Amino acid sequence: GEDVEQSLFLSVREGDSSVINCTYTDSSSTYLYWYKQEPGAGLQLLTYIFSNMDMKQDQRLTVLLNKKDKHLSLRIADTQTGDSAIYFCAERDNNDMRFGAGTRLTVKP
Amino acid sequence: NAGVTQTPKFQVLKTGQSMTLQCAQDMNHEYMSWYRQDPGMGLRLIHYSVGAGITDQGEVPNGYNVSRSTTEDFPLRLLSAAPSQTSVYFCASSLFFRSGGAKNEQFFGPGTRLTVL
């Protein structure tokens, strides 16, 4: 099947920017998503980008999409301790949605 | 709206026991799905449903049954639990995915942590 790949861990200092990367393989994906999972909770949609866009900005979040390289990134500006969580990249084509393994972001004070 | 609710939150089973994980949503969503989350493997789709009376298999359906008698409810049944089914189970719902349509965000329940001994 198709794979969505992410690095498993990222550690940053409070106030720095965080960049979480993701690669996907299905070129027919129509939407790409970033979900956040806090401990003991379900996944919460952070932001999404349609496949014909290159960039989307939403307050502290910036999503970059390189469709040629099938690379998606999530940048969190001014990272706070409350941003510590697992971040999942996901791609969707119609009813078929695939998730990466998640990147655990740790924010150190 | 309560969103997506799941019960129980925690469950311990012995090998061979059966149980049903409950999932309900009050957003009138056509699409509902069950995922399992295992360390380092992300979420894997077990079964999904595009409406009442319609279900289909996902990536890892073996050992699980589902039914969809109403729009609101989508229970997941384990007929004979095995240790390999120890996992965290998430139910999700959304409007039906339509190619070229709205973002159709999936809403997730809080999860059921299942341990099979």
Side-chain angles (χ1 to χ4, degrees):
Chain A
E2 310 291 350
D3 287 334
V4 178
E5 296 189 351
Q6 306 175 235
S7 53
L8 294 182
F9 302 98
L10 176 65
S11 179
V12 300
R13 293 217 171 271
E14 192 174 15
D16 288 349
S17 292
S18 307
V19 179
I20 303 172
N21 295 301
C22 170
T23 57
Y24 62 99
T25 55
D26 188 354
S27 58
S28 63
S29 293
T30 51
Y31 286 98
L32 296 123
Y33 304 83
W34 284 104
Y35 281 85
K36 178 182 180 182
Q37 184 184 32
E38 297 187 0
L43 277 70
Q44 181 183 13
L45 182 67
L46 270 183
T47 187
Y48 69 97
I49 189 166
F50 189 48
S51 58
N52 69 352
M53 298 169 64
D54 297 325
M55 185 182 89
K56 181 178 180 181
Q57 188 151 3
D58 183 2
Q59 298 182 334
R60 292 191 298 124
L61 305 178
T62 303
V63 179
L64 295 177
L65 175 60
N66 181 330
K67 202 171 179 184
K68 174 176 167 290
D69 295 338
K70 298 188 182 67
H71 183 266
L72 182 74
S73 68
L74 173 70
R75 179 177 179 269
I76 305 173
D78 187 26
T79 312
Q80 303 297 307
T81 54
D83 294 324
S84 291
I86 301 176
Y87 291 81
F88 290 90
C89 167
E91 61 172 345
R92 170 168 77 77
D93 177 33
N94 292 324
N95 280 329
D96 192 11
M97 191 158 184
R98 289 171 294 276
F99 289 83
T103 299
R104 183 180 294 275
L105 174 64
T106 302
V107 182
K108 298 179 180 178
Chain B
N1 286 351
V4 181
T5 57
Q6 291 183 238
T7 56
K9 198 166 176 62
F10 300 95
Q11 182 70 50
V12 179
L13 292 177
K14 293 181 181 177
T15 297
Q17 286 186 312
S18 63
M19 81 158 294
T20 299
L21 280 64
Q22 301 291 343
C23 174
Q25 53 89 12
D26 60 358
M27 297 173 281
N28 203 32
H29 284 166
E30 303 120 322
Y31 185 89
M32 296 185 74
S33 55
W34 277 102
Y35 294 88
R36 57 178 290 173
Q37 182 182 26
D38 301 295
M41 299 189 73
L43 276 74
R44 292 183 291 168
L45 182 65
I46 304 171
H47 285 284
Y48 67 94
S49 167
V50 299
I54 307 169
T55 63
D56 208 345
Q57 296 180 347
E59 182 185 353
V60 288
N62 292 342
Y64 308 94
N65 281 349
V66 291
S67 59
R68 185 95 180 270
S69 55
T70 66
T71 301
E72 294 77 21
D73 300 297
F74 191 44
L76 178 72
R77 280 184 289 278
L78 284 73
L79 296 179
S80 179
S84 61
Q85 294 177 303
T86 294
S87 187
V88 181
Y89 291 85
F90 288 100
C91 179
S93 76
S94 73
L95 294 171
F96 183 56
F97 288 161
R98 291 182 180 87
S99 181
K103 66 178 173 69
N104 289 338
E105 173 187 352
Q106 282 208 75
F107 292 83
F108 283 81
T112 295
R113 186 175 294 275
L114 175 68
T115 302
V116 183
L117 302 175

